[in-house]
């Protein structure tokens, strides 16, 4: 999975509504948080928390005799200042307290508040595709669901920490803190900072004392409670622990085990060693986002927990692990002063994945990842959005492909322009100067200018404070008499200023030219000795740009064979695959099966047409070799799928062996391929699989069930339709589940209809702020219509199920 969160962000960005014009600057600082002390225990029956808070503050600059705290849906029992009851007013989720006197800057005072947090009564929206952000979440608190553990966890971003403790809930506030958490003794706890002590009580509970001596923003506070296995690791003498459900204890290090190496790498490239006192990661149920960078206590959604069969193929959560860790520099150590400047948190965390992949796996992996990220941005239809936005309808709107993906691509361009040395020294200067503080985008610009000596207003004005991206149309004028070629660059839309690299390939040499584009139309003339075989625009592939460039099939074949960048090869293969009736094109596609990077090999396998007349035996021989000996299981799986299309009984032993592989990808491909030549053996194998493995092989098994037209399997298929239609990039998978949706929509299978309806309702409500409820309503209405047109004898009963789901979405 390419991170459910980011896929949903893309989906909902397209559905988003127009923004209301209201200026959103940094929140005014009247009082500054200094220290927060909390004592809490939990009422599992009511899903509430009993709390006591001691909050130490000081006026920011001007003297004041009032304090305003954010406190959402609390029941306030008592407020005291200097051991004397204080007068206060509590309305609209704000607690206004009259101080005992006027305090001046530098004078500290401590407020005591006894309260009950009632998260189920909170009415607000939260970040990272979270709806109705309650701050404090009770999961199966009464232990009623046998398939779900009892847990408690918190989610603070953007401003939901004030749902469980009173504070100034703004990213430009920072405070040290300590938390005493009293929980049933069977549970373990996790919070920010160091676990100082654990005290057993006489009533079957235990009080854990966590202390955070470094200042962090309130939205980064965290509490986690539940039955977890704690798998211990370390980095430079610091505890690095992984909290997982006991079932996943044996694979915890397979999931999270690269964390210490990431800590070393990020410390090195920033020049700022990891500054915090530990690093823990916890996986919780029913999490409302993908993951969250709570300082020293990162929380992950349950999709982080993967089986061995998945991890053998690819740890889908590795990029999320890197993303949240890098936040401990960008976001936690230096925090955006306002949500308008969210790029200072999220763009860096997103770019960290590129940096990590580049270091760990090489440039091809990193460039493939950047290509996918830019594609997410381009498909989000966000041309009108600026990276730094002071005008937005809701602060949660900032968590979109612009803040994440576009911002990452912009950092990549800036790195290329400045050079690695200046770029990373600039990061070091920025982090060091604003350590444990806050910043805005101009602070980042100033840091890079300080180090490089370059004026960067032009860059920040167009990329940080402007909208859109580069759109180019390129044409060529050849003068064979003079031996020159003129490259014409035409910009559409916004006019950008940028450096452009142009590679010109002649017979046996490549000449690189660096030019500046700064107007709607620019032309550059270059000499050549022999007519160029290829002219490669943006040869380094660093621009955030859409480039229209007419190339011939010969150009693309030459590009694949000679241009080194991942995108050169990928884009060439995509075009070459359209022309496999050409002998040289098909030969090039066969050559791509030997590409050093596995995603190119997979791309070639997914596109190769073995029913062409050219080089068929050579192609099949290579694919057989890949299916058996390639180092990447995903390549083996793709090769097995291709061999399955040949419907050749000679491959049955290969497919049978593949069905017993540890790799889920190989098992799934083997099932689909064997089904083409021996249906009964395949069905017998599927019937022996336990439900858990079937879930992980859902695409393959659904494919088989659809071909079998087995209506009894519709409930299983229905459980995967939503994800298959909307939350995957694979077009073949989308088409498969679209067919499944049509099949289910007209069926009389009540369980399948219920499963599908419940999925739409769950996702529609959870991601309502991004208008997914509207899409869910539309899809369920399609189901209603299909039933109305059907001859099903129970269609009235099924329509009732569907309309009940609609009612939940509409209310």
């Amino acid at each position: 999975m390419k991170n459910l969160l980011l896929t949903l962000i893309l989906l909902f960005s397209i559905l988003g509504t127009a923004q209301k014009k209201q200026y959103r600057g940094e929140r005014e600082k009247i009082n500054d948080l200094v220290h927060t002390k909390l004592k809490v225990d939990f009422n599992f029956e009511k899903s509430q928390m009993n709390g006591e808070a001691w909050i130490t503050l000081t006026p920011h600059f001007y003297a004041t005799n009032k304090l305003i705290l954010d406190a959402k849906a609390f029941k306030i029992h008592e407020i005291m200042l200097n051991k004397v009851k204080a007068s206060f007013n509590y309305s609209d989720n704000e607690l206004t307290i009259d101080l005992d006197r006027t305090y001046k800057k530098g004078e500290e005072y401590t407020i005591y508040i006894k309260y009950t947090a009632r998260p189920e009564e909170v009415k607000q929206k939260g970040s990272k595709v979270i709806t109705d952000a309650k701050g404090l979440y009770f999961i199966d608190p009464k232990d009623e669901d046998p398939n779900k553990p009892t847990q408690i966890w918190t989610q603070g971003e953007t401003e939901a920490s004030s749902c469980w403790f009173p504070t100034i809930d703004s990213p430009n506030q920072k405070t040290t803190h300590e938390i005493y958490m009293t929980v049933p003794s069977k549970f373990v706890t996790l919070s920010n900072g160091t676990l100082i002590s654990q005290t057993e009580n006489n009533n079957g509970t235990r009080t854990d004392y966590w202390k955070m001596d470094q200042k962090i923003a309130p939205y980064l506070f965290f509490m986690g409670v539940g039955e977890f296995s704690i798998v211990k690791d370390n980095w430079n003498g610091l505890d690095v622990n992984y909290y997982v459900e006991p079932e996943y204890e044996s694979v915890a290090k397979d999931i999270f085990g690269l964390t210490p190496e990431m800590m070393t790498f990020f410390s090195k490239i920033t020049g700022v060693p990891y500054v915090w006192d530990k690093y823990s990661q916890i996986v919780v149920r029913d999490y409302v986002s993908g993951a969250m960078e709570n300082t020293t206590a990162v929380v992950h959604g349950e999709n982080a927990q993967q089986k061995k069969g998945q991890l053998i193929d690819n740890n889908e959560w590795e990029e999320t692990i890197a993303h949240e860790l890098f936040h401990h520099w960008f976001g936690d150590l230096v925090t955006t002063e306002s949500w308008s400047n969210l790029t200072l948190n999220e763009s860096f965390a997103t770019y960290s994945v590129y940096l990590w992949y580049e270091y760990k796996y090489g440039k091809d992996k990193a460039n493939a990842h950047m290509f996918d990220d830019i594609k997410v941005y381009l498909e989000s239809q966000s041309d009108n959005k600026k990276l730094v936005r002071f005008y937005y309808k809701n602060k949660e709107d900032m968590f979109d492909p612009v803040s994440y993906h576009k911002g990452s691509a912009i950092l990549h361009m800036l790195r290329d322009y400045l050079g690695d040395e200046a770029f990373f020294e600039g990061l070091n200067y920025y982090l060091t100067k604003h350590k444990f503080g806050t910043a805005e985008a101009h602070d980042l610009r100033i840091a890079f200018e300080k180090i490089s000596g370059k004026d960067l207003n032009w860059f920040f004005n167009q990329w940080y404070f402007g909208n859109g991206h580069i759109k180019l149309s390129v044409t060529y004028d050849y003068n064979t008499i003079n031996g020159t070629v003129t490259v014409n660059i035409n910009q559409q839309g916004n006019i950008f200023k940028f450096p452009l690299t142009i590679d010109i390939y002649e017979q046996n040499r490549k000449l690189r030219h660096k030019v500046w584009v700064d107007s709607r139309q620019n032309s550059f003339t270059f000499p050549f000795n022999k007519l160029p075989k290829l002219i490669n625009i943006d040869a380094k592939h660093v621009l955030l740009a859409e480039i229209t460039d007419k190339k011939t099939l010969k150009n693309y074949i030459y590009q694949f064979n000679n241009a080194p960048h991942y995108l050169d090869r990928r884009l060439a293969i995509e075009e070459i695959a359209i022309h496999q009736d050409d002998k040289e094109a098909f030969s090039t596609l066969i050559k791509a099966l030997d590409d050093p990077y596995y995603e190119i090999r997979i791309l070639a396998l997914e596109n190769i047409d073995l029913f062409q007349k050219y080089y068929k035996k050579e192609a099949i021989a290579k694919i057989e070799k890949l299916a058996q000996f390639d180092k990447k299981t995903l390549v083996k799986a793709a090769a097995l799928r291709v061999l399955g299309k040949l419907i050749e009984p000679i491959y049955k032993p290969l497919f049978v062996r593949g069905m017993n592989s540890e790799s889920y990808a190989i098992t799934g491909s083997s099932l689909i391929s064997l089904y083409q030549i021996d249906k009964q053996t395949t069905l017998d194998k599927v019937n022996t699989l336990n439900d858990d493995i079937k879930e992980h092989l859902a695409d393959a098994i659904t494919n088989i069930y659809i071909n079998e037209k087995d209506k009894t399997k519709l409930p299983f298929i229905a459980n995967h339709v939503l994800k298959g239609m909307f939350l995957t990039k694979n077009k073949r998978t989308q088409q498969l589940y679209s067919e499944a949706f049509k099949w289910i929509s007209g069926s009389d299978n009540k369980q399948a209809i219920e499963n599908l309806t419940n999925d739409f309702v769950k996702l529609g409500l959870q991601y309502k702020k991004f208008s997914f409820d509207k899409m869910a309503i539309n899809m369920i209405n399609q189901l209603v219509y299909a039933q109305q047109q059907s001859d099903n004898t129970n269609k009235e009963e099924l329509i009732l199920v569907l309309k009940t789901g609609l009612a939940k979405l509409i209310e």
Side-chain angles (χ1 to χ4, degrees):
M1 132 185 161
K2 169 63 177 174
N3 197 319
L4 169 63
L5 162 67
L6 297 181
T7 307
L8 287 168
I9 286 175
L10 164 62
L11 189 61
F12 303 140
S13 292
I14 298 173
L15 295 171
T17 56
Q19 298 174 349
K20 182 179 179 181
K21 294 293 185 182
Q22 181 178 344
Y23 181 76
R24 312 279 186 172
E26 179 184 12
R27 181 169 172 175
E28 183 181 4
K29 290 184 279 190
I30 299 171
N31 287 283
D32 290 340
L33 294 171
V34 176
H35 184 71
T36 302
K37 176 182 175 181
L38 303 172
K39 288 187 177 180
V40 303
D41 62 76
F42 304 95
N43 185 328
F44 288 84
E45 285 295 317
K46 295 182 178 181
S47 294
Q48 295 180 354
M49 186 191 82
N50 304 309
E52 293 180 275
W54 291 261
I55 307 166
T56 303
L57 307 100
T58 186
H60 179 75
F61 185 82
Y62 299 105
T64 184
N65 61 1
K66 286 190 181 296
L67 169 65
I68 299 176
L69 296 174
D70 299 298
K72 301 180 177 77
F74 287 0
K75 182 176 181 181
I76 303 296
H77 302 294
E78 184 179 30
I79 298 180
M80 300 185 72
L81 174 61
N82 295 330
K83 299 183 179 180
V84 177
K85 285 189 176 182
S87 63
F88 65 91
N89 178 62
Y90 182 40
S91 63
D92 296 329
N93 292 327
E94 282 190 348
L95 190 56
T96 303
I97 302 168
D98 294 322
L99 304 181
D100 58 344
R101 63 180 176 84
T102 298
Y103 286 82
K104 297 179 180 179
K105 178 181 179 181
E107 292 184 322
E108 294 184 357
Y109 60 92
T110 299
I111 292 285
Y112 167 78
I113 303 172
K114 187 175 183 180
Y115 65 97
T116 298
R118 300 174 294 183
E120 299 306 315
E121 298 182 26
V122 172
K123 297 297 179 185
Q124 68 164 350
K125 293 182 178 180
S127 79
K128 296 187 175 178
V129 298
I130 303 167
T131 282
D132 296 332
K134 299 183 291 187
L136 176 64
Y137 294 80
F138 288 78
I139 307 303
D140 192 26
K142 299 178 184 179
D143 196 19
E144 298 169 321
D145 187 342
N147 298 313
K148 191 174 291 184
T150 297
Q151 295 177 349
I152 299 171
W153 45 263
T154 62
Q155 166 62 30
E157 193 174 39
T158 48
E159 295 171 9
S161 285
S162 50
C163 297
W164 62 277
F165 68 95
T167 188
I168 303 174
D169 207 349
S170 176
N172 66 349
Q173 290 283 341
K174 293 210 168 183
T175 174
T176 55
H177 72 277
E178 52 192 316
I179 303 179
Y180 293 82
M181 301 166 58
T182 298
V183 299
S185 294
K186 66 178 180 179
F187 293 141
V188 299
T189 69
L190 177 64
S191 189
N192 316 90
T194 301
L195 180 59
I196 301 298
S197 65
Q198 295 182 295
T199 304
E200 292 292 340
N201 304 314
N202 296 327
N203 59 354
T205 66
R206 187 187 71 253
T207 300
D208 290 355
Y209 172 36
W210 292 88
K211 193 167 188 285
M212 184 70 177
D213 289 326
Q214 295 153 306
K215 287 180 175 286
I216 63 172
Y219 77 87
L220 296 168
F221 280 39
F222 177 75
M223 294 190 302
V225 178
E227 294 183 85
F228 298 96
S229 292
I230 304 175
V231 178
K232 297 183 180 298
D233 211 335
N234 71 87
W235 178 80
N236 287 3
L238 295 181
D239 289 338
V240 177
N241 295 334
Y242 317 127
Y243 290 64
V244 296
E245 292 177 31
E247 178 185 354
Y248 294 91
E249 181 177 351
S250 63
V251 293
K253 285 194 175 181
D254 294 315
I255 300 168
F256 297 107
L258 288 174
T259 301
E261 186 178 352
M262 290 179 181
M263 295 171 78
T264 298
F265 171 65
F266 291 146
S267 295
K268 182 178 179 180
I269 62 167
T270 61
V272 178
Y274 180 81
V275 302
W276 312 99
D277 57 0
K278 76 164 191 304
Y279 192 72
S280 293
Q281 297 175 85
I282 187 171
V283 184
V284 301
R285 290 290 188 99
D286 294 350
Y287 188 51
V288 290
S289 182
M292 178 64 203
E293 63 271 17
N294 311 299
T295 311
T296 76
V298 168
V299 62
H300 296 276
E302 60 200 83
N303 285 314
Q305 292 181 146
Q306 302 161 76
K307 296 291 188 178
K308 192 76 174 180
Q310 296 169 276
L311 292 165
I312 287 172
D313 297 325
N314 186 39
N315 181 357
E316 297 286 353
W317 215 253
E318 184 176 339
E319 66 181 76
T320 304
I321 294 167
H323 180 112
E324 304 307 331
L325 174 58
F326 205 54
H327 266 309
H328 282 67
W329 284 263
F330 296 91
D332 293 13
L333 183 60
V334 180
T335 308
T336 178
E337 68 176 24
S338 69
W339 302 118
S340 295
N341 286 272
L342 183 64
T343 176
L344 297 178
N345 292 9
E346 296 300 346
S347 300
F348 277 105
T350 305
Y351 189 51
S352 74
V353 182
Y354 180 95
L355 295 172
W356 168 250
Y357 283 169
E358 181 183 37
Y359 155 78
K360 184 67 176 175
Y361 306 109
K363 286 190 175 295
D364 279 344
K365 175 77 170 176
N367 289 328
H369 175 76
M370 181 62 74
F371 171 77
D372 289 339
D373 271 4
I374 290 176
K375 187 177 180 182
V376 169
Y377 159 69
L378 293 175
E379 292 178 354
S380 71
Q381 301 176 19
S382 301
D383 271 23
N384 63 325
K385 294 181 180 180
K386 298 175 182 178
L387 185 58
V388 177
R389 272 165 277 165
F390 291 102
Y391 296 92
Y392 51 77
K393 183 177 180 181
N394 188 293
K395 56 186 176 294
E396 320 309 335
D397 298 338
M398 292 298 300
F399 293 81
D400 64 3
V402 175
S403 295
Y404 285 74
H405 306 80
K406 182 181 182 182
S408 172
I410 289 170
L411 287 171
H412 192 51
M413 286 191 292
L414 185 56
R415 175 187 171 190
D416 178 73
Y417 174 67
L418 294 175
D420 277 9
E421 187 175 0
F423 180 78
F424 289 112
E425 281 193 31
L427 296 188
N428 176 268
Y429 182 87
Y430 168 82
L431 290 169
T432 303
K433 182 175 177 61
H434 302 285
K435 192 174 184 179
F436 298 113
T438 62
E440 60 176 313
H442 286 297
D443 294 314
L444 183 65
R445 172 183 58 80
I446 291 167
F448 284 126
E449 289 181 339
K450 175 77 173 177
I451 295 302
S452 69
K454 294 178 180 289
D455 175 79
L456 294 173
N457 279 287
W458 66 271
F459 185 94
F460 277 73
N461 286 342
Q462 65 184 12
W463 289 113
Y464 279 77
F465 303 105
N467 65 297
H469 56 275
I470 299 167
K471 297 178 182 178
L472 301 182
S473 174
V474 184
T475 60
Y476 309 98
D477 295 323
Y478 291 93
N479 188 323
T480 54
I481 296 175
N482 295 332
T484 62
V485 58
T486 298
V487 180
N488 304 301
I489 307 293
N490 301 291
Q491 291 200 59
Q492 288 90 41
N494 295 351
I495 298 175
F496 287 84
K497 173 184 176 182
F498 56 92
L500 178 67
T501 301
I502 302 173
D503 282 355
I504 298 180
Y505 291 81
E506 295 185 20
Q507 188 66 37
N508 294 310
R509 67 171 185 165
K510 176 183 76 174
L511 295 175
R512 171 157 290 182
H513 303 277
K514 298 179 180 180
V515 299
W516 272 88
V517 176
D518 56 10
S519 60
R520 187 164 298 280
Q521 293 182 321
N522 288 93
S523 295
F524 307 97
T525 301
F526 309 107
F528 61 78
N529 293 324
K530 291 188 176 180
L531 195 68
K533 297 280 188 179
L534 172 70
I535 299 178
N536 204 6
I537 305 297
D538 184 28
K540 293 190 289 183
H541 296 285
V542 295
L543 296 179
L544 177 55
E546 292 180 278
I547 301 175
T548 302
D549 182 12
K550 292 183 180 179
K551 292 179 182 176
T552 66
L553 177 60
K554 290 285 186 183
N555 291 150
Y556 278 112
I557 291 172
Y558 187 90
Q559 178 174 304
F560 178 83
N561 288 312
N562 294 276
H565 197 280
Y566 162 79
L567 273 183
D568 292 323
R569 283 140 51 217
R570 180 190 177 94
L571 297 176
I573 288 299
E574 289 177 349
E575 182 64 26
I576 289 167
I578 301 172
H579 304 281
Q580 294 185 54
D581 54 344
D582 180 273
K583 187 175 182 179
E584 188 178 4
F586 189 70
S587 176
T588 305
L589 200 58
I590 294 175
K591 183 178 179 180
L593 297 173
D594 293 323
D595 195 271
Y597 184 55
Y598 78 95
E599 288 192 55
I600 296 293
R601 300 199 297 277
I602 290 174
L603 183 66
L605 286 164
E606 289 176 341
N607 284 280
I608 197 164
D609 180 3
L610 290 181
F611 299 97
Q612 292 294 331
K613 59 184 178 181
Y614 305 114
Y615 309 117
K616 181 176 179 179
K617 289 184 179 180
E618 180 186 352
I620 292 174
K622 282 195 175 185
I623 295 168
E624 289 173 350
K625 185 177 178 181
L626 292 175
Q628 297 177 80
F629 305 114
D630 197 277
K631 294 180 180 179
K632 296 290 293 187
T633 57
L634 293 176
V635 176
K636 286 183 177 180
L640 288 166
R641 288 287 291 266
V642 177
L643 294 177
K645 294 176 184 178
L646 297 175
I647 316 179
E648 287 284 355
I650 59 170
Y651 294 123
K652 181 177 178 179
L654 184 62
F655 300 150
V656 171
R657 188 163 64 248
M659 289 196 303
N660 297 312
S661 171
E662 283 188 294
S663 157
Y664 285 163
I666 291 175
T667 302
S669 290
S670 297
L671 285 171
I672 291 173
S673 295
L674 183 63
Y675 179 78
Q676 305 299 319
I677 55 178
D678 189 341
K679 293 184 178 181
Q680 193 56 51
T681 297
T682 307
L683 292 171
D684 289 344
K685 176 64 176 179
V686 170
N687 291 333
T688 66
L689 299 174
N690 63 45
D691 290 342
D692 183 60
I693 293 178
K694 282 183 179 178
E695 289 296 313
H696 292 295
L697 298 175
D699 290 351
I701 293 173
T702 295
N703 194 313
I704 292 168
Y705 285 165
I706 288 176
N707 281 288
E708 283 293 298
K709 297 296 181 184
D710 185 349
K711 291 184 178 180
T712 65
K713 306 303 183 184
L714 282 176
F716 174 89
I717 297 171
N719 284 332
H720 304 279
V721 164
L722 189 148
K723 180 181 177 182
M725 287 180 70
F726 300 112
L727 306 180
T728 180
K729 293 183 177 182
N730 189 292
K731 292 183 179 179
R732 187 182 294 119
T733 302
Q734 290 173 347
Q735 183 178 358
L736 171 70
Y737 282 103
S738 293
E739 293 173 8
F741 176 80
K742 293 177 183 177
W743 185 19
I744 294 168
S745 65
S747 79
D748 62 356
N749 192 305
K750 182 180 179 182
Q751 188 62 58
I753 294 292
E754 285 182 345
N755 290 356
L756 193 53
T757 303
N758 290 339
D759 266 3
F760 278 120
V761 170
K762 180 180 178 182
L763 268 294
L765 291 176
Q766 189 172 1
Y767 305 112
K768 188 173 182 178
K769 82 176 253 348
F770 292 96
S771 300
F772 195 78
D773 58 324
K774 295 176 183 177
M775 178 180 284
I777 289 170
N778 178 56
M779 298 303 291
I780 294 177
N781 276 326
Q782 289 185 40
L783 293 170
V784 171
Y785 179 78
Q787 287 299 321
Q788 290 171 338
Q789 301 303 307
S790 75
D791 296 325
N792 297 330
T793 57
N794 64 338
K795 67 180 181 181
E796 294 302 323
E797 181 183 9
L798 300 180
I799 290 172
L800 180 62
V801 169
L802 292 166
K803 288 188 174 180
T804 301
L806 281 173
K808 292 178 181 178
L809 287 167
I810 293 170
E811 71 183 12

